[in-house]
Amino acid sequence: MPTIVPYTYEKKEEKSVYFTSFVKGMKVLIATQKPFAKQAVDGIVEILEGAGHTVVRLEKYTESEQLLAAVADVDALIVRSDKVTAEVMAAAPNLKIVVRAGAGYDNVDCATAKERGIVVMNTPGQNSNAVAELALAMMIFMSRNCFTPGTGCEVKGKTLAIHAYGNVGRLVGLKGKALGMNVIAYDPFVADNAVFENDGVERVESIEELYRRADFLSLHIPATPQTKGSIGYQLVMSMPKGATLVNTARKEVIDEAGLCRALAEREDLKYVSDVAPDCNDDMCQSFGKRVFSTPKKMGAETAEANINAGLAAARQIVDYFATGCTKFQVNR
Ligand code: NAD
């Protein structure tokens, strides 16, 4: 079970197989098409320069060539949703570590990084609260007719089903309980039943049961080859009357054709998503207020999450170069 990581995480001494004994004087690039908040950048620079490293910044870049040029002599890279492809890594012969300031790391080519001996990390838990709050807000928004006149319904007493009980899923569950919801969850990779028991959340053993019982289904699976396109017609059709599917994970985990077919056949179902599906225009036209998506991904777009993730990325790089700590490595 991934733990909810506090703002200042515990330093854990783990030696990476890639680790050699460099300590100071590394060149770290912050490459962000969508820049961090000023407070975050200032904090990142302070942490890295305080540890004896040099920081360079490439912000609001528009062409991939700009990134290719900027990585030419850097040892470490901090990114947000920026794509770190095989081409980027080939252009960065000194690159030793990439930290994705955020949870999902599907924008980094982890396999190529592994081949090249580049450590890839994310900063789990740093933006979870922001995403969890958005998920709950989306549920209430859909329950209240997208804040337009008409009789809505309350979330209290409804069954909130959490698909994947990681950092975000768990917080959604706990907040749902505070709203008086009946919370159930499915995550086959959480080994310890006590995680669910301690939270007062019912663990269900099958994905089918999860969807069959969900008045609100909150999706928190990562986008992986196994999960992409995995939520489609059958699962959505199995949801109870009036159910809402809430997606603050990734649009790629949805089989959009299957979802549209289910929404067309079942006029009681709703879909709300953080970032528009590819077929958003068609969906809005066909299903009106039964669907809503944010124009840009905004789950992690809070000042707090922005700063937390950036500072955590800087600290992880300092620790990596100082001690070889690879606690948050995702490409072992
Ligand atoms: P996490 O790594 O803490 O948790 C992911 C959970 O998914 C883990 O508990 C894991 O066991 C479970 N899981 C993996 N594969 C599964 C499967 N096939 N079936 C069921 N469970 C499975 O990640 P998190 O911080 O909770 O974030 C979850 C996802 O949310 C991220 O991968 C990311 O794609 C997305 N996210 C979106 C935003 C946003 O801005 N909307 C922000 C952060 C994260």
Side-chain angles (χ1 to χ4, degrees):
M1 168 68 199
T3 47
I4 301 215
V5 184
Y7 178 72
T8 46
Y9 60 87
E10 258 176 57
K11 196 190 282 186
K12 190 172 153 191
E13 305 286 322
E14 281 182 20
K15 297 291 173 197
S16 159
V17 288
Y18 309 126
F19 185 65
T20 52
S21 57
F22 27 77
V23 177
K24 285 185 181 178
M26 295 293 122
K27 186 168 179 181
V28 184
L29 172 68
I30 307 173
T32 47
Q33 279 184 308
K34 195 172 170 202
F36 286 107
K38 184 181 180 309
Q39 201 184 339
V41 176
D42 291 348
I44 293 169
V45 171
E46 192 181 324
I47 290 167
L48 288 165
E49 290 188 349
H53 304 301
T54 308
V55 181
V56 285
R57 288 155 63 177
L58 174 69
E59 292 174 339
K60 295 185 184 171
Y61 62 97
T62 49
E63 308 300 327
S64 56
E65 286 71 27
Q66 293 171 273
L67 179 58
L68 294 179
V71 296
D73 60 348
V74 302
D75 301 285
L77 181 58
I78 297 177
V79 293
R80 298 186 73 202
S81 295
D82 308 76
K83 289 200 169 34
V84 184
T85 59
E87 198 185 1
V88 171
M89 291 180 229
N94 298 342
L95 191 61
K96 299 162 186 69
I97 176 169
V98 176
V99 183
R100 148 69 166 138
Y105 47 88
D106 42 331
N107 53 318
V108 181
D109 182 342
C110 289
T112 300
K114 188 172 178 180
E115 274 168 27
R116 288 182 160 271
I118 298 168
V119 171
V120 179
M121 296 186 190
N122 65 348
T123 60
Q126 302 294 339
N127 57 20
S128 308
N129 189 66
V131 183
E133 286 187 9
L134 183 72
L136 267 303
M138 285 178 146
M139 286 177 216
I140 293 173
F141 181 70
M142 295 309 278
S143 306
R144 296 299 185 95
N145 305 314
C146 306
F147 296 164
T148 60
T151 304
C153 73
E154 298 176 22
V155 298
K156 182 180 173 188
K158 305 296 187 301
T159 295
L160 167 58
I162 312 280
H163 190 170
Y165 207 61
N167 283 293
V168 179
R170 191 173 180 193
L171 284 174
V172 172
L174 294 172
K175 290 175 196 299
K177 279 179 67 70
L179 289 169
M181 302 180 84
N182 165 40
V183 182
I184 62 176
Y186 170 77
D187 191 323
F189 302 106
V190 177
D192 189 359
N193 275 326
V195 172
F196 300 90
E197 286 163 14
N198 293 341
D199 289 350
V201 165
E202 180 189 348
R203 180 175 204 169
V204 301
E205 296 302 332
S206 77
I207 194 169
E208 289 76 17
E209 181 182 355
L210 188 82
Y211 281 72
R212 200 170 57 239
R213 292 175 58 189
D215 294 316
F216 295 90
L217 189 301
S218 199
L219 264 175
H220 304 292
I221 45 175
T224 65
Q226 291 73 39
T227 62
K228 282 182 183 172
S230 65
I231 311 302
Y233 181 77
Q234 297 289 353
L235 286 175
V236 177
M237 285 298 281
S238 73
M239 293 172 76
K241 188 169 168 35
T244 301
L245 178 61
V246 183
N247 181 10
T248 56
R250 287 283 188 268
K251 69 175 178 180
E252 290 82 3
V253 301
I254 301 286
D255 161 13
E256 292 187 6
L259 172 65
C260 287
R261 194 175 142 214
L263 288 167
E265 288 180 26
R266 292 264 312 268
E267 290 190 1
D268 58 303
L269 295 177
K270 296 176 184 172
Y271 179 63
V272 59
S273 167
D274 183 22
V275 82
D278 291 335
C279 62
N280 192 42
D281 290 348
D282 289 347
M283 268 184 138
C284 290
Q285 206 171 5
S286 304
F287 309 123
K289 281 194 298 180
R290 288 199 287 134
V291 294
F292 177 84
S293 62
T294 53
K296 276 190 166 185
K297 192 151 68 74
M298 58 175 288
E301 289 306 321
T302 64
E304 293 87 344
N306 194 303
I307 294 165
N308 289 350
L311 299 188
R315 289 199 184 96
Q316 287 171 212
I317 287 176
V318 168
D319 275 2
Y320 177 69
F321 286 131
T323 69
C325 175
T326 56
K327 181 175 177 181
F328 298 107
Q329 183 173 355
V330 292
N331 69 330
R332 288 177 200 279

